[in-house]
Amino acid sequence: MSHAIQDRPVAAAPRRAPLSHARLPRWTPAAIAAGSIAGGIGIGLGAGWHSKVQWGLLAALLFVLVTFAVTTKVEGRRQAKDRVATSLVWVCFVLAVIPLLSLAWVTISKGMDALSPYFLTHSMNGVLDAEEGGGVYHALLGTIEQVGIATVIAAPIGLLTAVYLVEYGGGSKLAKAVTFFVDVMTGIPSIVAGLFILATWNLMLGFGPSGFAGAMALAILMVPVVVRSTEEMLKLVPNELREASLALGIPKWRTILKVVLPTAIGGITTGVMLAVARITGETAPVLLLVFGTKLINPNPFEGAQSSLPLYVYEQYAVGTDAAVARAWAAALVLIAFVMILNLVARGIARWKAPKTGR
């Protein structure tokens, strides 16, 4: 019996499936992207397409399809779905970045021709629109004053409104009504805000055109953006921080001032800067309420002023080479102005943000 058991052949142990599967090299996405670009250009030329946008869209489609096919062949269908999702994210990112880079490149390349220290320090006083020369100083000064006044008006109102909605409003009827009207104000056209200020400040109260009137219209456009962004940032602050502060006997208003707002200061600053970026490029309220002028008017409460968007519109409407060059240079100054404001605001937010760690 024992010999029979010993003579019986021992069955081979079943082979386990390998835990690791074949994987594509790291350079595969780059190679597929290069091949897709070449294929998109080749197919576009062969089909007689002259638009580079069509070539790009075709290359993006080829990139996704080839990625799915190659990954399915080597790594399996499950991993292919993951790579396709990643490819779609990258394609959307590239499609979003290309117009921004193109806009920046065109503005810089065309705006640098007329941009100079003279252009930044002189106005259009005594210069015909069709002639060369002149500058943007009066428009830059008007934009700084109007945006600054609008921010001083709108930022505190939007911040305090968001604090009420998050910290005090709860589900009250007043909070719901405020939220509803803020959502409605978010979508109003800028011309409506300008007409409202024109009807009340100028026609009913009898005030003339001024930078302050334009700033009030810009503040109306700015308030809902500040409210919504600040509200979302305050909601992200953990309730544990509020509870810990209140447990120490600190009043609620001081908890909001010393704990909640400093914690959310980065997001609040970003929201304010988004609102500033929106109103900086508005032309319709300025055209209605500020009127525009070629002279330097440092007083925003009396007399017509100019602004960078209005200056760009006026110069481009002239149509001569000199005027169009000034329009591109003013557009470049406007972009640089918004960029500098963003950098300064982010620096202040990082400086004032609560320190983490020990």
Side-chain angles (χ1 to χ4, degrees), residues 59 98-99 101 111 119 143 174 189 229 253 267 271 306 309 328 331 337 353 356:
I98 287 178
L101 295 179
F119 181 77
T143 295
L174 179 59
S229 60
W253 69 268
S306 185
W328 280 110
F337 174 72
T356 59

Side-chain angles (χ1 to χ4, degrees), residues 159-220:
L159 177 61
L160 294 176
T161 303
V163 168
Y164 166 76
L165 292 176
V166 176
E167 303 294 338
Y168 296 97
S172 64
K173 293 182 179 180
L174 179 59
K176 292 180 181 179
V178 171
T179 302
F180 172 76
F181 284 110
V182 166
D183 292 339
V184 172
M185 289 178 61
T186 304
I188 64 171
S190 59
I191 190 68
V192 175
L195 289 173
F196 173 73
I197 299 298
L198 179 67
T200 55
W201 183 258
N202 294 79
L203 299 182
M204 292 179 60
L205 300 179
F207 291 97
S210 63
F212 181 71
M216 287 191 293
L218 297 179
I220 294 176

Side-chain angles (χ1 to χ4, degrees), residues 33 59 61 65 70 117 188 196 198 208 229-230 272 278 287 308 337 349 353 356:
L61 180 61
L65 294 178
V70 173
I188 64 171
F196 173 73
L198 179 67
S229 60
T230 304
V272 172
R278 181 198 174 185
L287 189 61
L308 287 173
F337 174 72
T356 59

Side-chain angles (χ1 to χ4, degrees), residues 44 50 74 84 86 90 109 124 141-142 153 160 170 180 196 224-225 232 240 255 267 280:
H50 301 289
V74 178
V84 165
T86 305
W90 276 104
S109 60
M124 292 295 293
L141 179 63
I153 297 173
L160 294 176
F180 172 76
F196 173 73
V225 180
E232 295 302 322
E240 289 78 4
T255 298
T280 303

